[in-house]
Amino acid sequence: MILHHVPGSRSMRVLWLIEELGLDCELRLWSLTDGGLRSPEFRALSPAGRIPALEVDGRAIFESGAILQYLTEREDRLAPKPGEPERGDFLEWVHFAETQANILQALNIHHIFLRPESARSIPLMRLDTKRLAVTARALDDHLAGRETLLSGFSAADCMLGFNIEALFRFLPAADHPALAAYRDRMAARPAYRRAAARAGGDAIYARDFYEVPDVPG
Ligand SMILES: N[C@@H](CCC(=O)N[C@@H](CS)C(=O)NCC(=O)O)C(=O)O
């Protein structure tokens, strides 16, 4: 298997699951900013030019949620099967993770990637911070008194757990104690630690916390 990867990006979800499943993969590194993701070579693997893509079983799969589902079905582990009681919950959390990741991506664009800073929209930054807070509150409520999203560890935790490090760049961890404890539990898993050691340092954030500014730039 070859995982197309950017440190700090959604490819960490796949790398973490690969470690949980005890599989081998080679990493191919890309950059979010040098134009490589728009090259014909990369778009042959991932047509929207997005990370991750996984080469497996003679083909390339894109979309992190699809890759996670493919691997759990291939290995017959770490996801409830169709017809099992928690199957609906599993699918909900996998897709919820992308709803939340898209808000995080919008905040990353505003706080980090958009230049000049005066091009940023402060009303949109406020709106997305509030939208993120709704998702964080839902998770904090769900995780109170629970160890994992489902009754046991599953690929949904790889999908969603990856988001939480980014989420706490924009919302205080102290306001979300159950979510912060979940983040710490996930980060302590041996497979997570192996994946993090292979993934390379985060390539996105220069600061621990990003406040919405009062003026554009
Ligand atoms: N829904 C897709 C989103 C993939 C995505 O947006 N990946 C980001 C990195 S985390 C990316 O490649 N961004 C490059 C860009 O937007 O140009 C997935 O889950 O795989």
Side-chain angles (χ1 to χ4, degrees):
M1 285 195 283
I2 301 173
L3 175 61
H4 295 265
H5 171 66
V6 169
S9 83
R10 287 171 174 90
S11 45
M12 175 62 184
R13 291 169 169 163
V14 181
L15 185 54
W16 178 11
L17 180 65
I18 283 172
E19 289 291 343
E20 294 281 357
L21 291 168
L23 302 173
D24 287 330
C25 79
E26 182 189 321
L27 290 184
R28 286 272 159 84
L29 284 181
W30 296 84
S31 157
L32 292 182
T33 51
D34 70 0
L37 299 183
R38 301 288 172 267
S39 66
E41 180 198 355
F42 186 73
R43 283 192 296 107
L45 303 167
S46 175
R50 302 289 185 100
I51 289 287
L54 183 73
E55 293 183 59
V56 57
D57 299 337
R59 57 161 296 173
I61 310 183
F62 49 89
E63 289 291 334
S64 58
I67 298 170
L68 263 59
Q69 202 170 337
Y70 183 92
L71 289 178
T72 58
E73 287 168 8
R74 180 182 189 264
E75 301 301 313
D76 199 17
R77 287 181 56 209
L78 295 184
K81 297 184 207 351
E84 289 186 354
E86 289 192 297
R87 177 69 173 182
D89 306 85
F90 172 76
L91 294 173
E92 280 176 349
W93 288 121
V94 165
H95 291 274
F96 178 99
E98 261 310 273
T99 295
Q100 186 175 67
N102 283 318
I103 303 171
L104 289 165
Q105 194 160 20
L107 286 168
N108 286 345
I109 288 169
H110 276 290
H111 281 278
I112 296 157
F113 293 115
L114 200 61
R115 290 289 178 270
E117 286 188 359
S118 57
R120 322 189 278 199
S121 162
I122 289 174
L124 273 184
M125 292 166 93
R126 289 209 184 98
L127 178 67
D128 278 326
T129 306
K130 283 189 185 151
R131 281 152 49 90
L132 183 66
V134 174
T135 67
R137 176 62 43 224
L139 280 176
D140 202 53
D141 290 347
H142 179 73
L143 288 164
R146 310 176 62 100
E147 293 285 307
T148 49
L149 290 170
L150 306 185
S151 57
F153 181 83
S154 73
D157 294 300
C158 300
M159 189 74 189
L160 194 127
F162 155 79
N163 291 359
I164 310 306
E165 211 50 60
L167 183 146
F168 287 145
R169 307 277 175 174
F170 304 113
L171 297 172
D175 292 352
H176 305 90
L179 190 50
Y182 169 77
R183 182 263 320 259
D184 294 346
R185 274 194 306 281
M186 294 302 112
R189 291 182 68 83
Y192 180 95
R193 291 155 68 116
R194 285 195 300 275
R198 285 194 72 190
D202 171 78
I204 297 174
Y205 301 106
R207 303 216 300 263
D208 289 340
F209 196 79
Y210 293 82
E211 302 268 4
V212 178
D214 293 329
V215 287

